[in-house]
Amino acid sequence: MNTRLTWICHGATAASRKALFPLDEPLEDKAVGDAAGMAAPPRADRIAASPALRARQTAQALRLDARADPALRDCDHGRWAGRPIAAIEAEEPENLMAWMSDPQAAPHGGESFVDLRTRVAGWMDEQSLLGGHVIAVSHAAVIRAAVAHVLQAPLSSFWLVDVEPLAIVRMTSNGRRWSLRFSISDH
């Protein structure tokens, strides 16, 4: 069964501009306008979004009737949520380094990258069984984990994938494996 998966990264927030570990913050006003100005995504059989406010607002601005799916939530940053990355680097440099270099580390008490990738891969496998076209509005970390999963890349590659706000990443599955899909149109 063939599946098309269109990932859309939520728009910019104050936390992303200030290099903070995210909380459940809203989109910046400009991001709402930017999303509303994007071309309408193609028809989809299923539309899902992270339950986070910034993802739901992005879906709404894109005129997508998305259901909230907890599997699409952002990486759980535990006690670092809402804090500046620079403060963590100053206060806990060894913990930040461990988190960035060891995919199994979760010194913040949240989710490791291994756990994130497992969650995202499981969701993708469910979508592959259903077939059709699905649109997912989620977070840069979730999309990075999906790309690493598709490429069967080591999780150390997580930091090499740059997903900007409102970026669109397309993937396909033939029921046996996922592939990245690069195209010039939404079709």
Side-chain angles (χ1 to χ4, degrees), residues 30-40 57-58 60-63 166:
K30 182 180 181 315
V32 174
D34 290 346
M38 290 174 64
Q57 287 179 322
T58 299
Q60 183 178 18
L62 289 166
R63 299 162 303 284
L166 300 176

Side-chain angles (χ1 to χ4, degrees), residues 103 117 144 147-148 151-162:
R117 181 175 173 168
R144 283 184 190 125
V147 170
L151 296 177
Q152 300 173 19
L155 275 172
S156 58
S157 66
F158 183 87
W159 299 109
L160 302 176
V161 179
D162 189 14

Side-chain angles (χ1 to χ4, degrees), residues 108-150:
H108 45 57
E111 193 173 27
S112 72
F113 292 130
V114 168
D115 293 339
L116 174 65
R117 181 175 173 168
T118 299
R119 172 169 48 92
V120 172
W123 183 85
M124 291 173 64
D125 290 346
E126 290 172 11
Q127 300 310 307
S128 183
L129 293 173
L130 296 171
H133 180 210
V134 61
I135 295 173
V137 182
S138 194
H139 309 274
V142 171
I143 297 169
R144 283 184 190 125
V147 170
H149 173 63
V150 168

